[in-house]
């Protein structure tokens, strides 16, 4: 037996799933999905055990070839991995069928009441499978190293729409229910399995892209993301043809725990991107970039997560450079650098988690999540690019994408490829210090630009109106992120009085300000912080604000009280994360 992944029971001596057929019925009353899943193997089974990942699933039937019931054991749950479902698969079996019901507490799912939606009339359901939550909606080999195609049908109330990160195959009304069919012809890792059900409408943005969301914010969403085709063209010019046919967007309910999730063909986005000024579209560029880095070439397991996110941040900033110019890309890189320093400070007790390659046996990947794989990964690639030259590095990237397309790769695979394509490059940048050393090597690339220098000039003090008159939200964010925390109350008062930061409509600026203000004990922001925590479930915003409140004696009780008040509106993944923060 050989496990493929510290976060999966999948075993490389056992049959490999090649495709899925998922028929699911969504029960909004009981908060469960009842499903029938056929797993088809890459080749007929040799006979013996098959271990699948599950979490909280109630298995009702397991059927083999010819309709025979199969023997199985559902092992006791591991707190991180869930329950191993061990199935006795007869020799020659090409597929098996499993009937099961999900738990109302399924970690991938959030069930929203009508009150938690924009329209207030209909319930809503959505999934978030990354990192290891797919197993809470379907028994599977839940490791990115195993890809599968699928067909699916979702049986939902007829007044609702179901969407999936897959190609749409049609909708059929049966009484008060609708059956919606989907197909995913490109093989994907299980963490990219995704769907949503709700009162959804769509609007075309280009021949290969449309945006979906609740009707009340459809126009706002279509305006914010109108330039998506420009993103696609820029990305294709950099990384080669887009392989997933469509690039649709789904603007989620506010409780969506991430900024964006790169579900193939249908990127999920937080509604907090609807700032009304198109200032946050770098998240779209990021999720689009995953179509190459992550979805086409996937890190084999969470220990190599930087191959997904570091490469994607690199690709995101290249796209941004094409669309908004080098100055904007540099500002984003500088914000990233600031966040990386904050992540290093937070991990002061766990320097091993600041390595690019991590060891995560016994560690929940959601707990290990940080900016390190994103921003340190980005800086490592910038170091390689600087040493190789941009042209040579672009060629290397395209060899990387070509070699592992629709496959999975490890850090060693990347290092070996670099050494083969540009011998000596790894030694030149001291790759071992980047990959297996904590923190940052002594010498590293730094963004440089005139706009960046202008922000750096006022670092740590209150800037004058003349100095800020041309600032975009990105400059404000960078300035606020770089302020000492805590800062003197007088500085907070002057900033707020001069620039009305507490009334900022841009969520990135507002959150950077609220964090600075809360860490400084500037009480006038508390109503605004409370309002934000009650309306948005994006973890990137919740985490630093709760941390700032919990970190000061006078607001500690408030942090706990707000968590209790708003908890049920947060996604299970966000609740779990916040329990850790408040512990
Ligand atoms: N794939 C991630 C989100 C994710 C990571 C979900 C790990 C679950 C586990 C996504 O591509 C992402 O990185 N989103 C960022 C966008 C940002 C870097 C532009 C986010 O949500 O903030
Ligand atoms: Zn990402």
């Amino acid at each position: 037996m050989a496990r493929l992944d510290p976060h999966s029971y999948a075993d490389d001596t056992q049959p490999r799933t090649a495709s899925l057929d998922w028929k699911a019925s969504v029960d909004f009353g009981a908060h469960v999905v009842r499903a029938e899943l056929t797993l088809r193997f890459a080749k007929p089974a040799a006979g013996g055990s098959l271990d699948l990942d599950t979490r909280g699933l109630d298995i009702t039937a397991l059927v083999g070839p010819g309709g025979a019931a199969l023997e199985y054991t559902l092992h006791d749950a591991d707190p991180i991995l869930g329950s191993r479902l061990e199935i006795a698969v007869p020799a020659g079996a090409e597929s098996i069928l499993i009937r099961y019901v999900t738990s109302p507490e399924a970690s991938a799912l959030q069930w929203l009441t009508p009150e938690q939606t924009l329209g207030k009339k209909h319930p809503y359901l959505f999934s978030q499978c990354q990192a290891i939550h797919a197993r809470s909606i379907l028994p599977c080999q839940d490791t990115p190293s195993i890809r599968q195609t699928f067909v699916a049908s979702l049986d939902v109330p007829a007044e609702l729409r179901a969407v999936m990160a897959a190609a749409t195959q049609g909708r059929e009304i049966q009484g008060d229910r609708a059956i919606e069919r989907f197909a995913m012809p490109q093989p994907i890792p299980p963490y990219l399995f995704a769907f949503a059900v709700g009162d959804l409408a769509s609007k075309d943005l280009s021949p290969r892209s449309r945006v979906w969301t609740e009707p009340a914010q459809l126009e706002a969403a279509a305006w914010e993301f109108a330039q998506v085709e420009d993103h696609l063209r820029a990305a294709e010019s950099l990384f080669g043809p887009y392989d997933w046919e469509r690039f649709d967007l789904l603007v989620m309910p506010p409780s969506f725990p991430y900024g964006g999730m790169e579900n193939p063909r249908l990127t999920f986005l937080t509604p907090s991107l609807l700032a009304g000024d198109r200032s946050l579209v770098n998240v779209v560029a990021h999720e689009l970039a995953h179509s190459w880095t992550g979805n086409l070439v996937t890190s084999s397991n969470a220990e190599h997560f930087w191959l997904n996110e570091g490469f994607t941040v690199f690709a995101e900033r290249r796209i941004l450079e094409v669309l908004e110019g080098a100055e904007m890309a540099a500002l984003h890189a500088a914000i990233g650098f600031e966040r990386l320093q904050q992540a290093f400070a937070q991990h002061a007790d766990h320097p091993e988690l600041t390595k690019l390659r991590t060891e995560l046996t016994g560690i929940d990947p959601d707990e290990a999540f940080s900016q390190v794989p994103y921003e340190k990964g980005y800086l490592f690639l910038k170091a390689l690019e600087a040493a190789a030259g941009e042209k040579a590095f672009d060629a290397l990237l395209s060899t990387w994408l070509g070699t592992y397309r629709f496959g999975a790769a490890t850090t060693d695979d990347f290092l070996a490829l670099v050494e083969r394509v540009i011998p000596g490059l790894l030694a030149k940048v001291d790759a071992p210090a980047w990959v297996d050393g904590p923190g940052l090597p002594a010498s590293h690339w730094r963004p440089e630009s005139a706009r960046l220098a202008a922000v750096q000039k006022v670092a740590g003090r209150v800037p004058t109106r003349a100095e800020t008159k041309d600032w975009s939200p990105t400059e404000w964010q960078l300035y606020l992120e770089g302020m000492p925390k805590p800062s003197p109350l007088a500085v907070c008062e002057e900033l707020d009085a001069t620039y009305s930061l507490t009334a900022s409509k841009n969520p990135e600026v507002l959150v950077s300000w609220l964090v600075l203000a809360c860490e400084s004990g500037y009480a006038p922001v508390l109503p605004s912080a409370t309002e934000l925590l009650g309306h948005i479930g994006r973890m990137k915003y919740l985490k630093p604000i709760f941390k700032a409140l919990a970190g000061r004696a006078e607001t500690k009780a408030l942090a706990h009280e707000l968590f209790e008040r708003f908890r049920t509106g947060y996604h299970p993944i966000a609740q779990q994360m916040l329990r850790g923060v408040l512990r």
Side-chain angles (χ1 to χ4, degrees), residues 159-368:
E159 65 276 18
L160 302 182
R161 272 315 287 244
V163 291
M164 257 194 115
T168 309
Q169 306 278 288
R171 173 181 164 99
E172 191 186 305
I173 302 290
Q174 291 181 3
D176 61 354
R177 305 286 292 181
I179 317 290
E180 308 230 26
R181 289 177 217 286
F182 304 91
M184 188 64 178
Q186 288 95 352
I188 58 152
Y191 77 86
L192 292 177
F193 191 82
F195 67 93
V197 184
D199 181 16
L200 294 169
S202 73
K203 186 166 175 170
D204 282 342
L205 302 174
S206 92
R208 53 179 164 169
S209 184
R210 70 171 55 101
V211 61
W212 287 92
T213 195
E214 282 194 67
Q217 66 184 10
L218 184 58
E219 287 309 318
W223 185 85
E224 202 83 29
F225 305 124
Q227 268 127 25
V228 66
E229 184 61 29
D230 297 342
H231 286 246
L232 273 156
R233 293 219 183 102
E236 287 189 304
S237 75
L238 293 164
F239 314 117
Y242 180 72
D243 267 307
W244 306 86
E245 295 162 66
R246 293 199 59 90
F247 181 64
D248 293 337
L249 308 174
L250 175 66
V251 180
M252 306 299 289
S255 64
F256 186 59
Y258 292 97
M261 177 63 214
E262 66 272 26
N263 297 316
R265 290 169 184 251
L266 182 66
T267 274
F268 286 18
L269 297 170
T270 167
S272 65
L273 301 186
L274 304 180
D277 59 9
R278 294 184 181 156
S279 63
L280 306 177
V281 294
N282 73 295
V283 179
V284 176
H286 179 96
E287 306 315 332
L288 172 62
H290 272 305
S291 307
W292 289 266
T293 49
N295 298 6
L296 208 52
V297 178
T298 308
S299 45
S300 302
N301 64 53
E303 296 181 333
H304 309 283
F305 186 55
W306 79 275
L307 292 174
N308 271 23
E309 297 300 344
F311 275 72
T312 299
V313 170
F314 181 89
E316 166 199 339
R317 294 191 182 137
R318 288 294 295 274
I319 296 172
L320 218 62
E321 204 177 312
V322 174
L323 294 174
E324 298 182 10
E327 288 276 340
M328 278 307 281
L331 289 174
H332 280 274
I335 293 172
F337 189 76
E338 195 55 51
R339 295 246 156 96
L340 180 60
Q341 301 308 315
Q342 295 166 5
F344 287 153
Q346 279 164 24
H347 285 321
D349 300 340
H350 288 281
E352 71 283 359
L353 290 178
T354 67
K355 299 173 177 180
L356 279 184
R357 171 165 40 199
T358 50
E359 282 169 26
L360 297 180
T361 300
I363 300 178
D364 185 331
D366 285 343
E367 299 263 320

Side-chain angles (χ1 to χ4, degrees), residues 49 108 114 163 167 190 199 365 378 395 449 511 523 533 567:
S49 284
V163 291
D199 181 16
Y378 170 72
S449 89
V511 170
L533 296 175
R567 186 172 53 85

Side-chain angles (χ1 to χ4, degrees), residues 127-155:
S127 69
Q128 164 59 42
C129 288
Q130 197 179 15
I132 53 169
H133 303 286
R135 64 194 63 181
S136 74
I137 29 184
L138 71 173
C140 61
Q141 292 172 306
D142 194 3
T143 167
S145 57
I146 297 185
R147 284 176 180 260
Q148 46 246 295
T149 58
F150 68 81
V151 292
S153 71
L154 275 165
D155 175 338

Side-chain angles (χ1 to χ4, degrees), residues 23-65:
K23 295 187 179 68
S25 174
V26 175
D27 183 340
F28 275 101
H31 284 190
V32 299
V33 175
R34 293 186 185 79
E36 187 178 291
L37 176 72
T38 304
L39 291 111
R40 244 174 272 290
F41 305 130
K43 55 176 199 262
S49 284
L50 170 66
D51 292 314
L52 298 179
D53 297 298
T54 75
R55 184 184 291 132
L57 301 181
D58 177 13
I59 309 292
T60 53
L62 239 157
V63 185

Side-chain angles (χ1 to χ4, degrees), residues 86-116:
E86 186 184 1
I87 305 166
V89 178
E94 292 176 352
S95 68
I96 58 170
L97 182 147
I98 308 173
R99 284 196 197 92
Y100 65 94
V101 186
T102 60
S103 156
E105 275 79 49
S107 58
L109 298 180
Q110 191 177 14
W111 302 84
L112 299 177
T113 61
E115 296 69 47
Q116 290 172 302

